[in-house]
Amino acid sequence: MPDNHKSRVVTTGIERAPNRALLRATGFGDGDFDRPIIGVANAHSTITPCNMGIGALAARGEGALGAAGAMAQMFGTITISDGISMGTEGMKYSLVSREVIADSIETVCAGQSMDGLLAFGGCDKNMPGAMIAIARLNIPAVFVYGGTIKPGRHDGQDLTIVSVFEAVGARIAGAIDDRELREIERSACPGAGSCGGMYTANTMSALFEAMGMSLPYSSTMAAEDAEKAESAAQSAQVLVDALRARRLPREILTRKAFENALAVLMALGGSTNAVIHLPAIAHAAGVELTLDDFNAFSARVPVLCDLKPSGRYVATDLHRAGGVPQVMKILLAQGLLHGDAPTVTGQTVSEVLSDVPECPAADQDVIRPWGRPVYPHGHLAILKGNLAEEGALAKTSGVKVPKITGPARVFDSEEACMAAIMDRRIAAGDVVVIRYEGPKGGPGMREMLSPTAALVGQGLGDRVGLVTDGRFSGGTYGMVVGHVAPEAAVGGTIALVADGDTVVIDAERRVLHLDVPASELARRRALWRPPVSRHTRGVLAKYARLVSQASRGAVTD
């Protein structure tokens, strides 16, 4: 390791004696002060199945770091389970937690002069939070995913947590009874690991692998399988090698890495939340990434994987079919990946994929060959128009007709909308508008999985549009448009929509339009006043003061 990257806690200098004394209490001996000090960011928590297996993985990584010649320093960070907080006030804290996680990891590693970072995360915000910190710190680092949950089973069908949300809608519609709902709820989540479809956690883990910041195949392993623990140990060994070779995150997190992530995102049919997390990570890495980039890759890259929420399979099926490397090799063969992009292993992307076949195995249909995609283009579309001048996001996978024009049904909160859905007051052809749920207005930009899943469960997923300045879960599908910017709380046009106004959603033409004369909008704008937030203290108030619009990744710095 170069001398200029040795830990500032060194054996020389009388003034360092207090540092050494404190470290001796943690287990350092005379020969340990010249070894690299590596932080182990441990997101273990029993709050959520996504994180409850991470403690053991982090301990395995800690031991492997010691065996490789480093001194590991374990510290904790937080998690919020989106699935548990969904549909409640607690969901306001979910996106906020991404910033808390990033800030906490940065603070510990910089404050304690860490030489490297091995970051463990499982739930949706652990992962982008850790990667934002990695990009800010720019010390050698590897991200280790806690692993995916295995699917639940009921009545011969694979289940995920989204199955329960949709079952609620089906129960409201009378399609199932209470007994069936209870059976689905009891069977959906059988053990440790992150939600099993290509939802946000599995999407972000796959993208980190594609970007070269996690080990090959690690992003689709099941949390409870032995190979996941072995991968944690291998990640520690790779990190020590990266530290000695001085492989820094910002040399890996280049524009090429983000373009590789965009290609893989489209091929996987990944979560809408990638559209808010990738720009935030790019911002931390000093890389320009805009909403227009998502449209460009959506036009070039088809959806190759038949994965939930709109498809049939879960992440463990993808793993058995060849995982992210198989998807990447198909894209590389089509000239859609930068094969010369570096990875934390020291190999280029092309070298990592050298032994992977260009065509997926014929005895599976999780990963489609290039000539037989699930959809001929990407599933994410950035829409613009007078209702979203800075942009909004539509997800078109599983949607039969990617456009709808209808009367607005306007709600100033998720709760108000959910009450209308539960009362069966939303009809086919309506366009539901949920506003004041953006980054500032929420604050916290809640996910709208409860209303969207309830609409799907009632059989309205293809027949009702939904527009919001909030977010959607990675498990959402249907004719939905989120991330509307500017949001209602800062005076975006979505704040001016009235019940009965005609709203046009056209994902094919990339248009989100409010069919109201400009003069009438000007009249409404003159009368509009920003709402007074009831969050005047604490983390939500601080977040609302600092956060950018969704179109810029909802960053706070």
Side-chain angles (χ1 to χ4, degrees), residues 502-518:
T502 298
V503 175
V504 179
I505 303 171
D506 191 334
E508 292 178 337
R509 295 192 300 126
R510 304 292 199 262
V511 168
L512 181 62
H513 180 71
L514 180 63
D515 194 10
V516 173

Side-chain angles (χ1 to χ4, degrees), residues 14 210 215 365 379 490:
I14 295 172
L215 267 56
D365 59 354
H379 61 301
V490 299

Side-chain angles (χ1 to χ4, degrees), residues 142 212 214-216 238 241-242 247 252 342-348 351-352:
V142 175
S214 295
L215 267 56
V238 166
D241 181 65
R247 289 194 285 274
I252 299 168
T343 74
V344 73
T345 66
Q347 298 175 294
T348 65
E351 289 168 341
V352 168

Side-chain angles (χ1 to χ4, degrees), residues 491-505:
T493 304
I494 191 171
L496 310 179
V497 183
D499 270 323
D501 287 348
T502 298
V503 175
V504 179
I505 303 171

Side-chain angles (χ1 to χ4, degrees), residues 5 38-39 41 65 105 109 115-119 130-131 133-144 208 211-215 235-236 238-244 246-250 252-253 343-345:
H5 193 62
I38 294 180
L65 287 170
I105 294 174
C109 289
D115 295 302
L117 171 63
L118 190 64
M131 197 58 65
I134 286 168
R136 289 178 188 170
L137 289 161
N138 202 34
I139 57 176
V142 175
F143 180 82
V144 183
F208 292 174
M211 296 165 80
M213 290 303 300
S214 295
L215 267 56
S235 297
V238 166
L239 174 55
V240 173
D241 181 65
L243 194 147
R244 289 174 176 146
R246 194 76 174 125
R247 289 194 285 274
L248 300 179
R250 289 187 201 164
I252 299 168
L253 294 173
T343 74
V344 73
T345 66

Side-chain angles (χ1 to χ4, degrees), residues 34-351:
D34 289 323
R35 298 169 72 183
I37 297 176
I38 294 180
V40 180
N42 181 356
H44 173 80
S45 171
T46 58
I47 291 172
T48 165
C50 313
N51 292 63
M52 68 186 194
I54 286 178
L57 294 179
R60 181 72 181 272
E62 181 184 33
L65 287 170
M71 294 300 291
Q73 298 287 280
M74 183 89 73
F75 64 94
T77 187
I78 67 163
T79 193
I80 298 292
S81 169
D82 289 11
I84 295 171
S85 64
M86 196 74 69
T88 74
E89 279 281 296
M91 190 66 194
K92 293 178 183 288
Y93 290 85
S94 171
L95 189 58
V96 176
S97 76
R98 184 189 76 180
E99 308 308 302
V100 176
I101 292 161
D103 291 349
S104 67
I105 294 174
E106 176 194 355
T107 299
V108 173
C109 289
Q112 299 302 133
S113 305
M114 303 293 187
D115 295 302
L117 171 63
L118 190 64
F120 289 81
C123 212
D124 292 7
K125 308 308 176 297
N126 301 161
M127 295 145 70
M131 197 58 65
I132 288 168
I134 286 168
R136 289 178 188 170
L137 289 161
N138 202 34
I139 57 176
V142 175
F143 180 82
V144 183
Y145 181 39
T148 184
I149 197 171
K150 293 180 179 180
R153 295 285 292 177
H154 173 67
D155 200 22
Q157 300 293 317
D158 281 348
L159 300 179
T160 69
I161 184 60
V162 175
S163 307
V164 185
F165 282 94
E166 292 177 1
V168 170
R171 177 66 190 89
I172 295 167
I176 62 174
D177 59 18
D178 287 342
R179 184 196 61 80
E180 183 77 359
L181 175 58
R182 283 194 300 270
E183 288 302 311
I184 292 171
E185 179 261 311
R186 288 168 177 159
S187 305
C189 298
S194 298
C195 299
M198 192 46 62
Y199 311 147
T200 303
N202 286 324
T203 295
M204 297 312 299
S205 70
L207 300 189
F208 292 174
E209 182 179 329
M211 296 165 80
M213 290 303 300
S214 295
L215 267 56
Y217 298 99
S218 65
S219 67
T220 51
M221 293 174 179
E224 296 178 327
D225 285 354
E227 65 177 347
K228 183 76 259 186
E230 183 59 30
S231 176
Q234 292 171 355
S235 297
Q237 294 161 3
V238 166
L239 174 55
V240 173
D241 181 65
L243 194 147
R244 289 174 176 146
R246 194 76 174 125
R247 289 194 285 274
L248 300 179
R250 289 187 201 164
E251 296 170 355
I252 299 168
L253 294 173
T254 63
R255 172 73 187 188
K256 289 182 178 180
F258 284 96
E259 290 187 350
N260 285 352
L262 289 176
V264 171
L265 171 66
M266 299 303 169
L268 291 173
S271 168
T272 56
N273 279 310
V275 182
I276 204 162
H277 295 324
L278 284 178
I281 297 165
H283 174 78
V287 172
E288 175 97 14
L289 192 71
T290 71
L291 295 184
D292 291 337
D293 292 316
F294 288 86
N295 265 350
F297 275 83
S298 185
R300 295 170 58 195
V301 182
V303 176
L304 296 175
C305 299
D306 189 8
L307 297 168
K308 290 179 181 293
S310 59
R312 293 178 292 165
Y313 297 105
V314 295
T316 50
D317 297 317
L318 175 63
H319 189 63
R320 285 189 292 270
V324 171
Q326 178 63 81
V327 177
M328 291 178 71
K329 188 60 174 276
I330 298 169
L331 296 173
L332 181 66
Q334 297 298 321
L336 291 167
L337 284 190
H338 296 286
D340 60 343
T343 74
V344 73
T345 66
Q347 298 175 294
T348 65
V349 166
S350 290
E351 289 168 341

